[in-house]
Amino acid sequence: MALTEWTDRLRIPAIAAPMTDVSGPDLVAEACCAGVVGAFPSHNAASSSELERWLAEINERRAHVGTGTQAAPVAVNLVVHPTNSRLDSDLRAVLSGGVEVVITSVGSPRSIVGPLHDAGVTVLADVASIHHARRAIDAGVDGVVLLTAGAGGQTGWANAFAFTRAARDEFDGMVVLAGGVSDGAGILAARVLGADLAYLGTRFIATTESLAPAAYRAGVVAASLDDVATTTQVTGLAANVLSEWLRGVDPAMGGGHDSEAGFSVDRLLSQRGVWAAGHSVSGTDRVLPVAELVALLDRELREARSRLLAAAFTQVEND
Ligand SMILES: Cc1cc2nc3c(=O)[nH]c(=O)nc-3n(C[C@H](O)[C@H](O)[C@H](O)COP(=O)(O)O)c2cc1C
């Protein structure tokens, strides 16, 4: 396990993943207070000044977590693509806003690793291929978030088993597994494979505190993984969405394939109201408050660990 000062403060080894139009101050503050890293994309705040206000509000609520406990970190997702005109001002807000973890996406994190490290911020980069993982590791990140097949929103295509083993083979920093994790058994499985943390997006759409409209949350709860479709129509990058939503989309929105070439931050921001979700809709059966969801994941993780230990003892007795 790649240890940091903040991993010791987690109740379970998990990050509530950043989600466009879903993660706001309420979801993030509740996640941090419940004991998982609470993350949101900086572009969910309408401006860098609003981002500063959101961080102040989240930190105020994190400071009031129960006595004797320290809240888990808040993480901000920064899109590092060259078309992000807010990157410099959002970075300044992050540096002054008590943020302990930054998660970069869509591009090389190289330009921001230095200032973030100088301020003691952990830098994770989300990556969908070994090529991108190497680019991030060369840039000096502390960890990689592996986007695997079935992840909600911008997705990867790699198999989770193969990708985690491959990343672990070449990197002893922090490895975070994203895609298809909806319960405690999935979190334990990620750890068994060699990941340090699991990254859960879709499961947190169906929380009371998420910014998702009620019909979208209900769609996530009702859907099975057969109802998830991969499309490049949203941002130009491959993304997983509810097929129910995709049927209502103008095909003229069509984008490119498989590279960052068709992506721009303006395009991302013009596509608000997308019902993104991944294969873990199959494990999402109800809307819960964030604190209850984290407590449930904790219970499931303990039960999965006990089942694994019982199976291991039976194996030893049979040998
Ligand atoms: C609705 C939605 C919006 C997302 N928006 C972002 C985003 O703005 N930035 C980002 O880095 N990842 C985004 N993602 C990806 C998640 O951070 C995460 O990688 C993914 O949800 C993990 O897979 P899971 O949904 O199977 O748990 C989004 C995912 C969803 C479902």
Side-chain angles (χ1 to χ4, degrees):
M1 166 109 181
L3 291 174
T4 69
E5 181 275 322
W6 54 262
T7 45
D8 286 347
R9 306 202 315 260
L10 302 183
R11 175 171 177 182
I12 53 172
I15 297 177
M19 292 183 280
T20 298
D21 285 349
V22 172
S23 343
D26 215 15
L27 192 163
V28 171
E30 285 300 304
C32 297
C33 293
V36 300
V37 178
F40 68 100
S42 66
H43 54 254
N44 276 1
S47 63
S48 302
S49 327
E50 185 170 69
L51 175 60
E52 284 173 18
R53 288 193 293 277
W54 280 22
L55 287 170
E57 180 190 333
I58 292 165
N59 284 329
E60 167 70 16
R61 287 173 60 174
R62 286 173 67 244
H64 290 100
V65 73
T67 35
T69 29
Q70 267 188 299
V74 55
V76 175
N77 163 227
L78 294 174
V79 174
V80 288
H81 194 265
T83 56
N84 183 4
S85 57
R86 261 177 54 183
L87 182 58
D88 288 345
S89 53
D90 283 359
L91 180 62
R92 280 195 295 278
V94 161
L95 289 171
S96 62
V99 171
E100 290 174 271
V101 184
V102 159
I103 301 161
T104 67
S105 58
V106 209
S108 169
R110 186 172 294 278
S111 67
I112 63 170
V113 169
L116 288 167
H117 277 173
D118 289 346
V121 178
T122 300
V123 186
L124 308 177
D126 81 10
V127 297
S129 65
I130 297 289
H131 168 70
H132 284 159
R134 287 189 181 139
R135 177 175 74 178
I137 294 162
D138 281 351
V141 297
D142 305 287
V144 286
V145 178
L146 308 179
L147 295 178
T148 67
Q154 184 199 326
T155 189
W157 64 274
N159 175 282
F161 289 91
F163 201 7
T164 310
R165 300 308 299 146
R168 196 32 99 207
D169 278 350
E170 54 184 282
F171 184 51
D172 61 6
M174 185 173 285
V175 171
V176 184
L177 177 58
V181 180
S182 65
D183 65 359
I187 295 170
L188 182 62
R191 294 296 310 275
V192 171
L193 279 173
D196 300 295
L197 303 172
Y199 206 63
L200 288 79
T202 297
R203 188 73 208 260
F204 279 86
I205 300 171
T207 54
T208 322
E209 296 87 347
S210 102
L211 298 174
Y216 174 18
R217 291 185 225 182
V220 166
V221 168
S224 80
L225 66 85
D226 290 351
D227 303 314
V228 170
T230 307
T231 178
T232 54
Q233 291 188 18
V234 180
T235 63
L237 302 172
N240 280 330
V241 300
L242 290 183
S243 33
E244 180 191 354
W245 175 82
L246 194 58
R247 275 194 289 276
V249 170
D250 178 358
M253 260 168 51
H257 292 274
D258 228 20
S259 78
E260 290 159 10
F263 177 89
S264 79
V265 169
D266 284 348
R267 186 170 178 186
L268 168 74
L269 296 181
S270 69
Q271 300 302 335
R272 303 220 116 151
V274 177
W275 287 12
H279 289 174
S280 55
V281 287
S282 268
T284 305
D285 56 0
R286 64 203 129 138
V287 176
L288 287 173
V290 167
E292 280 182 37
L293 174 56
V294 174
L296 174 65
L297 293 171
D298 187 15
R299 266 197 319 279
E300 291 171 345
L301 175 60
R302 287 165 197 276
E303 285 163 12
R305 209 183 281 134
S306 303
R307 283 199 302 278
L308 199 63
L309 282 174
F313 279 127
T314 311
Q315 177 74 44
V316 169
E317 280 167 8
N318 291 341
D319 280 348

